[in-house]
Amino acid sequence: MIGAVVVDIEGTTSPTAAVREDLYGYTRQRLPGWLAEDSPAAAAVLAATRELAGQPDAGPAEAAAILRGWLDSDVKAEPLKTAQGLICAEGFRSGALHGEFFPDVPPALAAWHAAGLALYVYSSGSVRNQQDWFAFARGGSLSDLISGHFDLSTAGGKRESASYDKIAGAIGAPAERILFLSDHPDELDAAVAAGWRVVGLARPGEPNPPRPPHRWVDTFAEIDPTAIA
């Protein structure tokens, strides 16, 4: 019986366009000015960007161009995700940004939580960004439903089975009692390799097509984790 549900965000709980246009656009616009600030956070991201890009002499403007390039190419780089989380935190708190969810998601999460399931989030976006996305959800905070968050720095890459082993250990649940929901077939493959149960989300208008052998649905309303043996 399933005891924990782990959800992806982009394309699964939330429209890809909302993530890429709202969060990415907000980050892209503010990166140069933020990197030029005299702050420990900006300095750390600058150093990490230089190292990852192999450009040790890059200044804030050059680093901003590198990060923008990664953002446009959807590169899952940790310094980019860190910068995005910090920059967008301001946007969420000012009311410029909100977490956007498919309409079927909040009631499903609430029902699963009420049924005693532990709910977690695993996304390539930083933990801070994830927390803000749920806390500042349009229509009301969903934070109280979520028991924990995982990202690239805390769990590892989403297409690596070892990442799912790490999450299972962190939440203290046997692999076969964890259900993972994602729109990406490669992520589902990695979770299955770690012994997890999975269901794929194939929502209309989203970019990732379904792929066998997984079960695919187009709404959380079609999923009953308590019925999965």
Side-chain angles (χ1 to χ4, degrees):
M1 181 179 293
I2 298 300
V5 180
V6 180
V7 299
D8 169 51
I9 292 179
E10 187 175 327
T12 301
T13 66
S14 306
T16 296
V19 175
R20 298 191 178 183
E21 293 173 11
D22 296 349
L23 292 191
Y24 286 19
Y26 194 88
T27 302
R28 197 177 199 285
Q29 182 180 1
R30 286 160 178 78
L31 264 171
W34 185 82
L35 277 175
E37 293 177 2
D38 183 17
S39 72
V45 168
L46 179 58
T49 303
R50 287 168 172 163
E51 181 177 359
L52 191 58
Q55 298 188 31
D57 298 323
E62 291 86 358
I66 293 168
L67 291 170
R68 281 176 160 180
W70 291 341
L71 191 63
D72 294 342
S73 303
D74 200 26
V75 174
K76 311 297 187 184
E78 286 191 28
L80 173 60
K81 296 302 179 180
T82 298
Q84 182 174 310
L86 294 169
I87 291 170
C88 290
E90 175 189 336
F92 282 112
R93 283 155 182 79
S94 70
L97 295 174
H98 295 277
E100 304 288 353
F101 291 82
F102 292 111
D104 56 277
V105 171
L109 294 180
W112 299 345
H113 182 268
L117 295 168
L119 307 180
Y120 298 87
V121 180
Y122 179 29
S123 173
S124 59
S126 70
V127 165
R128 181 166 188 171
N129 235 160
Q130 296 175 30
Q131 291 170 333
D132 285 344
W133 190 258
F134 280 76
F136 296 93
R138 194 179 297 278
S141 174
L142 301 175
S143 291
D144 289 347
L145 304 177
I146 307 301
S147 295
H149 297 259
F150 299 92
D151 62 10
L152 300 181
S153 63
T154 59
K158 298 185 71 182
R159 303 182 190 187
E160 302 168 11
S161 63
S163 302
Y164 299 86
D165 293 333
K166 189 171 184 178
I167 292 172
I171 67 180
E176 66 273 12
R177 294 194 61 201
I178 305 173
L179 175 65
F180 180 50
L181 308 180
S182 174
D183 68 318
H184 204 297
D186 291 346
E187 297 175 3
L188 299 177
D189 290 346
V192 167
W196 291 25
R197 304 300 181 87
V198 303
V199 175
L201 273 297
R203 294 183 179 276
E206 291 299 313
N208 294 318
R211 187 177 73 204
H214 311 298
R215 175 193 172 198
W216 293 86
V217 299
D218 60 11
T219 170
F220 275 22
E222 297 179 62
I223 304 169
D224 180 3
T226 63
I228 298 176

